[in-house]
């Protein structure tokens, strides 16, 4: 069953000190908690502000891109909202490309592209969503379940900046259903 989750002008962002997270209030009964702690966020997020028309446009752009991934609808929504937070509210990052192999062809990603990288250890393919495309490096978020590389655990929706020479476009629905884990939107009351 497809989830009807459409932005409205009633949605609002606010920072919740108890959860140390930027929250998106969708309705009186539903909150979305971003996965980024306060230390990762710019100072502008520590107040209340509306979910803008630009945010709604970005939401649909990211959500449409996620359709090629074998994620549940809830996971696509979660990934899309975290992508908005990463694109607009995360402090500048330095590239951490050493986890990934250089690609044979240079790729220039665009905003909301789903890309893949190959791990240095074992060559595992990892899928990312581009949230800020740069000339030499792009800010991405992890677009698949948690994985470990070089003794570091990477989490679903975690932000990472990667040099563009490590990124490659993906062709189609390349994640299979067996790669999904029990990722769920968490309602906070």
């Amino acid at each position: 069953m497809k989830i009807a989750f459409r932005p409205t002008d009633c949605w609002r962002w606010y920072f919740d000190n108890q959860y140390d997270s930027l929250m998106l209030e969708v309705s009186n009964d539903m909150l979305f908690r971003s996965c980024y702690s306060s230390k990762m966020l710019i100072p502008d997020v520590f107040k209340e502000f509306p979910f803008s028309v630009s945010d709604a446009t970005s939401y649909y752009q990211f959500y449409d891109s996620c359709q090629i991934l074998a994620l549940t609808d809830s996971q696509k929504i979660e990934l899309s909202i975290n992508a908005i937070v990463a694109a607009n509210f995360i402090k500048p990052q330095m590239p951490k490309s050493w986890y990934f192999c250089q690609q044979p062809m240079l790729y220039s990603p665009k905003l909301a592209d789903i890309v893949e990288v190959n791990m240095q250890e074992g060559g595992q393919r990892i899928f990312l969503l581009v949230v800020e495309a740069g000339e030499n490096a792009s800010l991405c978020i992890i677009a698949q379940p948690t994985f470990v590389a070089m003794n570091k655990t990477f989490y679903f929706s975690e932000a990472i900046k990667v040099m563009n020479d490590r990124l490659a476009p993906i062709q189609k629905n390349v994640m299979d259903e067996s790669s999904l884990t029990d990722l769920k939107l968490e309602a906070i009351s």
Side-chain angles (χ1 to χ4, degrees):
M1 179 170 96
K2 194 138 176 128
I3 297 173
F5 198 78
R6 293 186 185 92
T8 72
D9 58 0
C10 296
W11 288 15
R12 71 178 177 98
W13 297 105
Y14 71 93
F15 189 82
D16 187 304
N17 289 313
Q18 177 185 351
Y19 290 104
D20 191 38
S21 290
L22 184 62
M23 309 292 266
L24 176 61
E25 184 178 55
V26 174
S27 70
N28 289 336
D29 300 325
M30 185 182 289
L31 290 174
F32 173 83
R33 180 174 58 183
S34 77
C35 65
Y36 310 109
S37 68
S38 60
K39 67 182 179 181
M40 296 183 69
L41 302 172
I42 61 173
D44 292 352
V45 302
F46 299 105
K47 60 183 190 295
E48 184 178 317
F49 51 100
F51 190 84
S52 68
V53 172
S54 175
D55 292 338
T57 301
S58 295
Y59 171 79
Y60 286 116
Q61 186 175 15
F62 290 130
Y63 184 77
D64 289 346
S65 292
C66 292
Q67 298 313 304
I68 64 171
L69 297 170
L71 298 172
T72 66
D73 207 44
S74 294
Q75 291 169 325
K76 292 172 186 175
I77 292 167
E78 180 179 0
L79 190 65
S80 300
I81 294 173
N82 277 318
I84 295 167
V85 175
N88 296 324
F89 308 121
I90 284 193
K91 290 178 182 174
Q93 306 276 308
M94 292 299 294
K96 294 182 179 132
S97 301
W98 54 82
Y99 295 106
F100 313 113
C101 298
Q102 193 169 2
Q103 298 289 337
M105 302 278 295
L106 181 60
Y107 175 62
S108 297
K110 298 181 300 300
L111 178 69
D113 278 359
I114 301 292
V115 297
E116 71 176 58
V117 290
N118 295 323
M119 300 301 300
Q120 289 279 8
E121 290 180 344
Q124 178 186 4
R125 290 182 351 176
I126 305 300
F127 304 104
L128 308 173
L129 172 61
V130 177
V131 299
E132 181 183 287
E135 187 176 327
N136 298 312
S138 297
L139 181 63
C140 303
I141 62 174
I142 307 297
Q144 68 178 59
T146 301
F147 63 94
V148 177
M150 295 183 185
N151 297 321
K152 178 182 176 4
T153 302
F154 290 87
Y155 298 96
F156 183 73
S157 293
E158 180 177 340
I160 184 167
K161 193 165 195 174
V162 180
M163 298 298 291
N164 291 344
D165 66 354
R166 306 302 203 272
L167 305 176
I170 60 174
Q171 305 305 318
K172 328 175 157 181
N173 188 348
V174 291
M175 285 180 63
D176 64 15
E177 295 296 326
S178 65
S179 68
L180 295 177
T181 60
D182 293 326
L183 294 172
K184 295 178 182 137
L185 284 175
E186 181 180 333
I188 301 169
S189 52

